[in-house]
Tab-separated table of all heavy atoms in Angstrom:
chain	number	residue	atom	x	y	z
U	161	THR	N	2.865	-11.576	-11.591
U	161	THR	CA	2.295	-10.934	-10.406
U	161	THR	C	2.804	-11.607	-9.143
U	161	THR	O	3.222	-10.937	-8.192
U	161	THR	CB	0.752	-10.988	-10.460
U	161	THR	OG1	0.306	-10.294	-11.624
U	161	THR	CG2	0.137	-10.355	-9.234
U	162	ILE	N	2.772	-12.932	-9.117
U	162	ILE	CA	3.278	-13.668	-7.955
U	162	ILE	C	4.765	-13.401	-7.755
U	162	ILE	O	5.228	-13.195	-6.629
U	162	ILE	CB	3.010	-15.184	-8.108
U	162	ILE	CG1	1.511	-15.458	-8.013
U	162	ILE	CG2	3.771	-15.982	-7.058
U	162	ILE	CD1	1.124	-16.873	-8.420
U	163	LEU	N	5.523	-13.390	-8.833
U	163	LEU	CA	6.959	-13.122	-8.742
U	163	LEU	C	7.229	-11.766	-8.093
U	163	LEU	O	8.043	-11.657	-7.165
U	163	LEU	CB	7.590	-13.173	-10.139
U	163	LEU	CG	9.089	-12.967	-10.232
U	163	LEU	CD1	9.812	-14.181	-9.653
U	163	LEU	CD2	9.502	-12.741	-11.673
U	164	LEU	N	6.541	-10.730	-8.548
U	164	LEU	CA	6.733	-9.400	-7.980
U	164	LEU	C	6.260	-9.313	-6.533
U	164	LEU	O	6.961	-8.781	-5.663
U	164	LEU	CB	5.993	-8.358	-8.820
U	164	LEU	CG	6.598	-8.041	-10.178
U	164	LEU	CD1	5.643	-7.176	-10.994
U	164	LEU	CD2	7.928	-7.334	-10.004
U	165	MET	N	5.080	-9.849	-6.267
U	165	MET	CA	4.523	-9.714	-4.926
U	165	MET	C	5.296	-10.544	-3.897
U	165	MET	O	5.396	-10.141	-2.737
U	165	MET	CB	3.044	-10.084	-4.915
U	165	MET	CG	2.163	-9.098	-5.689
U	165	MET	SD	2.480	-7.340	-5.362
U	165	MET	CE	2.193	-7.210	-3.622
U	166	CYS	N	5.844	-11.675	-4.275
U	166	CYS	CA	6.659	-12.455	-3.338
U	166	CYS	C	7.948	-11.719	-2.983
U	166	CYS	O	8.402	-11.784	-1.839
U	166	CYS	CB	6.957	-13.837	-3.904
U	166	CYS	SG	5.543	-14.947	-3.804
U	167	HIS	N	8.539	-11.021	-3.938
U	167	HIS	CA	9.720	-10.219	-3.630
U	167	HIS	C	9.363	-9.083	-2.671
U	167	HIS	O	10.101	-8.813	-1.711
U	167	HIS	CB	10.343	-9.664	-4.906
U	167	HIS	CG	11.201	-10.647	-5.615
U	167	HIS	ND1	10.691	-11.591	-6.467
U	167	HIS	CD2	12.540	-10.844	-5.583
U	167	HIS	CE1	11.677	-12.328	-6.931
U	167	HIS	NE2	12.815	-11.896	-6.414
U	168	ILE	N	8.254	-8.426	-2.927
U	168	ILE	CA	7.816	-7.341	-2.037
U	168	ILE	C	7.536	-7.884	-0.637
U	168	ILE	O	7.949	-7.299	0.367
U	168	ILE	CB	6.580	-6.639	-2.628
U	168	ILE	CG1	6.994	-5.851	-3.876
U	168	ILE	CG2	5.920	-5.723	-1.597
U	168	ILE	CD1	5.848	-5.319	-4.691
U	169	ALA	N	6.841	-9.024	-0.563
U	169	ALA	CA	6.528	-9.628	0.737
U	169	ALA	C	7.803	-10.033	1.481
U	169	ALA	O	7.902	-9.865	2.699
U	169	ALA	CB	5.617	-10.845	0.558
U	170	GLY	N	8.776	-10.558	0.780
U	170	GLY	CA	10.033	-10.951	1.406
U	170	GLY	C	10.775	-9.768	2.009
U	170	GLY	O	11.255	-9.831	3.140
U	171	PHE	N	10.855	-8.675	1.241
U	171	PHE	CA	11.504	-7.475	1.770
U	171	PHE	C	10.709	-6.892	2.936
U	171	PHE	O	11.287	-6.455	3.934
U	171	PHE	CB	11.695	-6.424	0.671
U	171	PHE	CG	12.829	-6.740	-0.251
U	171	PHE	CD1	12.592	-7.104	-1.565
U	171	PHE	CD2	14.143	-6.683	0.198
U	171	PHE	CE1	13.639	-7.404	-2.422
U	171	PHE	CE2	15.201	-6.973	-0.648
U	171	PHE	CZ	14.950	-7.343	-1.961
U	172	MET	N	9.390	-6.892	2.830
U	172	MET	CA	8.568	-6.396	3.933
U	172	MET	C	8.787	-7.224	5.194
U	172	MET	O	8.922	-6.679	6.290
U	172	MET	CB	7.080	-6.442	3.564
U	172	MET	CG	6.606	-5.298	2.720
U	172	MET	SD	4.831	-5.407	2.444
U	172	MET	CE	4.191	-5.145	4.086
U	173	LEU	N	8.809	-8.532	5.034
U	173	LEU	CA	9.011	-9.419	6.178
U	173	LEU	C	10.339	-9.117	6.868
U	173	LEU	O	10.409	-8.979	8.089
U	173	LEU	CB	8.949	-10.881	5.732
U	173	LEU	CG	9.132	-11.930	6.813
U	173	LEU	CD1	8.008	-11.823	7.838
U	173	LEU	CD2	9.155	-13.320	6.198
U	174	HIS	N	11.380	-8.993	6.072
U	174	HIS	CA	12.699	-8.694	6.636
U	174	HIS	C	12.678	-7.371	7.404
U	174	HIS	O	13.107	-7.313	8.556
U	174	HIS	CB	13.751	-8.638	5.528
U	174	HIS	CG	15.072	-8.126	5.999
U	174	HIS	ND1	15.922	-8.868	6.782
U	174	HIS	CD2	15.667	-6.928	5.824
U	174	HIS	CE1	16.996	-8.150	7.060
U	174	HIS	NE2	16.861	-6.963	6.484
U	175	PHE	N	12.193	-6.323	6.768
U	175	PHE	CA	12.221	-5.013	7.408
U	175	PHE	C	11.287	-4.931	8.609
U	175	PHE	O	11.594	-4.258	9.593
U	175	PHE	CB	11.917	-3.903	6.398
U	175	PHE	CG	13.069	-3.626	5.482
U	175	PHE	CD1	13.025	-4.008	4.161
U	175	PHE	CD2	14.218	-3.021	5.963
U	175	PHE	CE1	14.091	-3.774	3.317
U	175	PHE	CE2	15.300	-2.780	5.133
U	175	PHE	CZ	15.238	-3.156	3.803
U	176	MET	N	10.152	-5.619	8.552
U	176	MET	CA	9.230	-5.578	9.690
U	176	MET	C	9.798	-6.343	10.888
U	176	MET	O	9.581	-5.950	12.028
U	176	MET	CB	7.860	-6.112	9.292
U	176	MET	CG	7.122	-5.156	8.374
U	176	MET	SD	5.528	-5.762	7.894
U	176	MET	CE	4.579	-5.286	9.329
U	177	ILE	N	10.512	-7.418	10.641
U	177	ILE	CA	11.112	-8.165	11.758
U	177	ILE	C	12.292	-7.402	12.346
U	177	ILE	O	12.445	-7.324	13.566
U	177	ILE	CB	11.529	-9.580	11.292
U	177	ILE	CG1	10.281	-10.432	11.069
U	177	ILE	CG2	12.459	-10.233	12.291
U	177	ILE	CD1	10.556	-11.786	10.451
U	178	VAL	N	13.112	-6.823	11.480
U	178	VAL	CA	14.315	-6.147	11.959
U	178	VAL	C	14.015	-4.765	12.551
U	178	VAL	O	14.572	-4.405	13.590
U	178	VAL	CB	15.346	-6.026	10.813
U	178	VAL	CG1	16.541	-5.179	11.220
U	178	VAL	CG2	15.802	-7.402	10.366
U	179	TYR	N	13.129	-3.988	11.912
U	179	TYR	CA	12.979	-2.583	12.276
U	179	TYR	C	11.662	-2.217	12.962
U	179	TYR	O	11.430	-1.038	13.232
U	179	TYR	CB	13.146	-1.699	11.043
U	179	TYR	CG	14.516	-1.811	10.429
U	179	TYR	CD1	14.683	-2.405	9.189
U	179	TYR	CD2	15.632	-1.340	11.092
U	179	TYR	CE1	15.936	-2.519	8.615
U	179	TYR	CE2	16.895	-1.449	10.533
U	179	TYR	CZ	17.038	-2.034	9.291
U	179	TYR	OH	18.274	-2.141	8.740
U	180	SER	N	10.770	-3.158	13.228
U	180	SER	CA	9.508	-2.791	13.877
U	180	SER	C	9.288	-3.619	15.135
U	180	SER	O	9.945	-4.630	15.359
U	180	SER	CB	8.335	-2.986	12.909
U	180	SER	OG	8.004	-4.347	12.805
U	181	ASP	N	8.340	-3.165	15.902
U	181	ASP	CA	8.000	-3.862	17.139
U	181	ASP	C	6.734	-4.699	16.976
U	181	ASP	O	6.128	-5.098	17.967
U	181	ASP	CB	7.791	-2.840	18.274
U	181	ASP	CG	9.081	-2.126	18.627
U	181	ASP	OD1	10.155	-2.730	18.458
U	181	ASP	OD2	9.014	-0.960	19.057
U	182	PHE	N	6.317	-4.939	15.731
U	182	PHE	CA	5.117	-5.736	15.501
U	182	PHE	C	5.353	-7.180	15.925
U	182	PHE	O	6.445	-7.726	15.749
U	182	PHE	CB	4.725	-5.738	14.026
U	182	PHE	CG	4.162	-4.434	13.533
U	182	PHE	CD1	4.195	-4.133	12.189
U	182	PHE	CD2	3.576	-3.522	14.392
U	182	PHE	CE1	3.670	-2.956	11.711
U	182	PHE	CE2	3.054	-2.335	13.931
U	182	PHE	CZ	3.102	-2.044	12.583
U	183	GLY	N	4.295	-7.792	16.417
U	183	GLY	CA	4.354	-9.209	16.738
U	183	GLY	C	4.107	-10.035	15.480
U	183	GLY	O	3.867	-9.488	14.401
U	184	PRO	N	4.133	-11.349	15.617
U	184	PRO	CA	3.928	-12.215	14.449
U	184	PRO	C	2.572	-12.020	13.773
U	184	PRO	O	2.474	-12.022	12.542
U	184	PRO	CB	4.060	-13.625	15.008
U	184	PRO	CG	4.736	-13.486	16.320
U	184	PRO	CD	4.475	-12.116	16.809
U	185	MET	N	1.513	-11.827	14.572
U	185	MET	CA	0.185	-11.675	13.992
U	185	MET	C	0.050	-10.359	13.226
U	185	MET	O	-0.479	-10.336	12.117
U	185	MET	CB	-0.891	-11.749	15.088
U	185	MET	CG	-2.301	-11.712	14.533
U	185	MET	SD	-2.631	-13.066	13.396
U	185	MET	CE	-3.069	-14.331	14.539
U	186	GLU	N	0.537	-9.281	13.786
U	186	GLU	CA	0.479	-7.986	13.098
U	186	GLU	C	1.317	-8.004	11.819
U	186	GLU	O	0.921	-7.457	10.798
U	186	GLU	CB	0.949	-6.846	14.011
U	186	GLU	CG	0.028	-6.543	15.157
U	186	GLU	CD	0.352	-7.363	16.393
U	186	GLU	OE1	1.339	-8.130	16.374
U	186	GLU	OE2	-0.385	-7.240	17.388
U	187	THR	N	2.475	-8.635	11.898
U	187	THR	CA	3.338	-8.749	10.718
U	187	THR	C	2.646	-9.546	9.620
U	187	THR	O	2.605	-9.117	8.462
U	187	THR	CB	4.677	-9.417	11.095
U	187	THR	OG1	5.318	-8.634	12.099
U	187	THR	CG2	5.586	-9.552	9.895
U	188	ALA	N	2.077	-10.685	9.979
U	188	ALA	CA	1.403	-11.534	8.989
U	188	ALA	C	0.203	-10.827	8.376
U	188	ALA	O	0.003	-10.875	7.153
U	188	ALA	CB	0.966	-12.851	9.636
U	189	LEU	N	-0.591	-10.153	9.188
U	189	LEU	CA	-1.771	-9.452	8.665
U	189	LEU	C	-1.376	-8.275	7.769
U	189	LEU	O	-2.017	-8.038	6.735
U	189	LEU	CB	-2.658	-8.983	9.820
U	189	LEU	CG	-3.390	-10.086	10.579
U	189	LEU	CD1	-4.133	-9.504	11.777
U	189	LEU	CD2	-4.345	-10.834	9.667
U	190	SER	N	-0.354	-7.550	8.154
U	190	SER	CA	0.100	-6.413	7.341
U	190	SER	C	0.614	-6.874	5.986
U	190	SER	O	0.252	-6.312	4.954
U	190	SER	CB	1.206	-5.648	8.072
U	190	SER	OG	0.762	-5.154	9.294
U	191	ILE	N	1.450	-7.884	6.001
U	191	ILE	CA	2.012	-8.381	4.742
U	191	ILE	C	0.908	-8.977	3.873
U	191	ILE	O	0.873	-8.753	2.658
U	191	ILE	CB	3.140	-9.390	5.013
U	191	ILE	CG1	4.333	-8.659	5.627
U	191	ILE	CG2	3.564	-10.109	3.740
U	191	ILE	CD1	5.452	-9.557	6.087
U	192	THR	N	-0.021	-9.706	4.483
U	192	THR	CA	-1.124	-10.292	3.720
U	192	THR	C	-1.968	-9.208	3.058
U	192	THR	O	-2.327	-9.326	1.882
U	192	THR	CB	-2.011	-11.157	4.637
U	192	THR	OG1	-1.216	-12.215	5.171
U	192	THR	CG2	-3.190	-11.729	3.889
U	193	ALA	N	-2.267	-8.142	3.782
U	193	ALA	CA	-3.063	-7.055	3.216
U	193	ALA	C	-2.357	-6.405	2.026
U	193	ALA	O	-2.979	-6.151	0.980
U	193	ALA	CB	-3.354	-6.015	4.288
U	194	VAL	N	-1.066	-6.163	2.154
U	194	VAL	CA	-0.307	-5.544	1.062
U	194	VAL	C	-0.237	-6.472	-0.143
U	194	VAL	O	-0.406	-6.039	-1.287
U	194	VAL	CB	1.103	-5.137	1.544
U	194	VAL	CG1	1.992	-4.741	0.379
U	194	VAL	CG2	1.004	-4.011	2.554
U	195	VAL	N	0.001	-7.760	0.092
U	195	VAL	CA	0.132	-8.711	-1.011
U	195	VAL	C	-1.206	-8.892	-1.746
U	195	VAL	O	-1.242	-8.898	-2.982
U	195	VAL	CB	0.684	-10.065	-0.507
U	195	VAL	CG1	0.537	-11.147	-1.554
U	195	VAL	CG2	2.141	-9.921	-0.116
U	196	VAL	N	-2.300	-9.008	-1.007
U	196	VAL	CA	-3.613	-9.171	-1.656
U	196	VAL	C	-3.967	-7.924	-2.460
U	196	VAL	O	-4.360	-8.008	-3.624
U	196	VAL	CB	-4.696	-9.513	-0.613
U	196	VAL	CG1	-6.082	-9.394	-1.207
U	196	VAL	CG2	-4.482	-10.909	-0.065
U	197	ALA	N	-3.831	-6.746	-1.848
U	197	ALA	CA	-4.154	-5.504	-2.555
U	197	ALA	C	-3.234	-5.296	-3.767
U	197	ALA	O	-3.699	-4.926	-4.854
U	197	ALA	CB	-4.042	-4.316	-1.601
U	198	GLY	N	-1.958	-5.545	-3.591
U	198	GLY	CA	-1.018	-5.392	-4.695
U	198	GLY	C	-1.287	-6.364	-5.833
U	198	GLY	O	-1.201	-6.003	-7.012
U	199	SER	N	-1.628	-7.596	-5.500
U	199	SER	CA	-1.923	-8.594	-6.534
U	199	SER	C	-3.163	-8.215	-7.326
U	199	SER	O	-3.191	-8.332	-8.560
U	199	SER	CB	-2.123	-9.968	-5.900
U	199	SER	OG	-0.926	-10.405	-5.297
U	200	LEU	N	-4.197	-7.768	-6.626
U	200	LEU	CA	-5.424	-7.361	-7.314
U	200	LEU	C	-5.196	-6.143	-8.204
U	200	LEU	O	-5.835	-6.005	-9.251
U	200	LEU	CB	-6.533	-7.082	-6.303
U	200	LEU	CG	-7.072	-8.309	-5.569
U	200	LEU	CD1	-8.039	-7.888	-4.468
U	200	LEU	CD2	-7.746	-9.272	-6.530
U	201	MET	N	-4.287	-5.277	-7.811
U	201	MET	CA	-3.976	-4.103	-8.617
U	201	MET	C	-3.090	-4.455	-9.820
U	201	MET	O	-3.298	-3.961	-10.926
U	201	MET	CB	-3.274	-3.058	-7.761
U	201	MET	CG	-2.983	-1.773	-8.495
U	201	MET	SD	-1.914	-0.686	-7.568
U	201	MET	CE	-0.353	-1.533	-7.698
U	202	LEU	N	-2.109	-5.327	-9.608
U	202	LEU	CA	-1.139	-5.633	-10.666
U	202	LEU	C	-1.649	-6.585	-11.740
U	202	LEU	O	-1.282	-6.450	-12.907
U	202	LEU	CB	0.122	-6.256	-10.049
U	202	LEU	CG	1.138	-5.321	-9.443
U	202	LEU	CD1	2.261	-6.129	-8.806
U	202	LEU	CD2	1.695	-4.383	-10.472
U	203	LEU	N	-2.462	-7.553	-11.373
U	203	LEU	CA	-2.837	-8.614	-12.301
U	203	LEU	C	-3.450	-8.107	-13.613
U	203	LEU	O	-2.972	-8.477	-14.695
U	203	LEU	CB	-3.761	-9.622	-11.614
U	203	LEU	CG	-4.059	-10.901	-12.375
U	203	LEU	CD1	-2.777	-11.632	-12.742
U	203	LEU	CD2	-4.947	-11.803	-11.532
U	204	PRO	N	-4.463	-7.239	-13.604
U	204	PRO	CA	-4.987	-6.780	-14.893
U	204	PRO	C	-4.008	-5.898	-15.658
U	204	PRO	O	-3.995	-5.912	-16.897
U	204	PRO	CB	-6.254	-6.010	-14.521
U	204	PRO	CG	-6.152	-5.714	-13.088
U	204	PRO	CD	-5.256	-6.743	-12.481
U	205	ARG	N	-3.173	-5.166	-14.955
U	205	ARG	CA	-2.203	-4.316	-15.643
U	205	ARG	C	-1.142	-5.155	-16.350
U	205	ARG	O	-0.766	-4.873	-17.487
U	205	ARG	CB	-1.566	-3.359	-14.649
U	205	ARG	CG	-2.510	-2.242	-14.252
U	205	ARG	CD	-2.052	-1.464	-13.041
U	205	ARG	NE	-2.959	-0.367	-12.746
U	205	ARG	CZ	-4.158	-0.508	-12.192
U	205	ARG	NH1	-4.607	-1.710	-11.883
U	205	ARG	NH2	-4.928	0.527	-11.962
U	206	ILE	N	-0.676	-6.188	-15.694
U	206	ILE	CA	0.318	-7.060	-16.322
U	206	ILE	C	-0.319	-7.820	-17.486
U	206	ILE	O	0.319	-8.020	-18.521
U	206	ILE	CB	0.946	-8.006	-15.282
U	206	ILE	CG1	1.794	-7.188	-14.300
U	206	ILE	CG2	1.791	-9.080	-15.947
U	206	ILE	CD1	2.387	-7.978	-13.166
U	207	LYS	N	-1.575	-8.229	-17.345
U	207	LYS	CA	-2.254	-8.911	-18.447
U	207	LYS	C	-2.382	-7.980	-19.651
U	207	LYS	O	-2.114	-8.372	-20.784
U	207	LYS	CB	-3.625	-9.409	-18.005
U	207	LYS	CG	-4.320	-10.243	-19.067
U	207	LYS	CD	-5.552	-10.918	-18.519
U	207	LYS	CE	-6.161	-11.826	-19.580
U	207	LYS	NZ	-7.262	-12.622	-19.031
Side-chain angles (χ1 to χ4, degrees):
T161 299
I162 291 169
L163 182 71
L164 288 171
M165 292 314 301
C166 284
H167 279 83
I168 290 170
F171 284 111
M172 279 184 67
L173 180 63
H174 171 73
F175 285 108
M176 289 180 82
I177 288 173
V178 173
Y179 298 112
S180 77
D181 294 331
F182 288 158
M185 185 59 84
E186 291 89 3
T187 301
L189 290 175
S190 300
I191 292 173
T192 299
V194 169
V195 167
V196 168
S199 296
L200 291 173
M201 183 190 72
L202 279 176
L203 190 56
R205 286 166 177 75
I206 292 176
K207 186 170 184 173

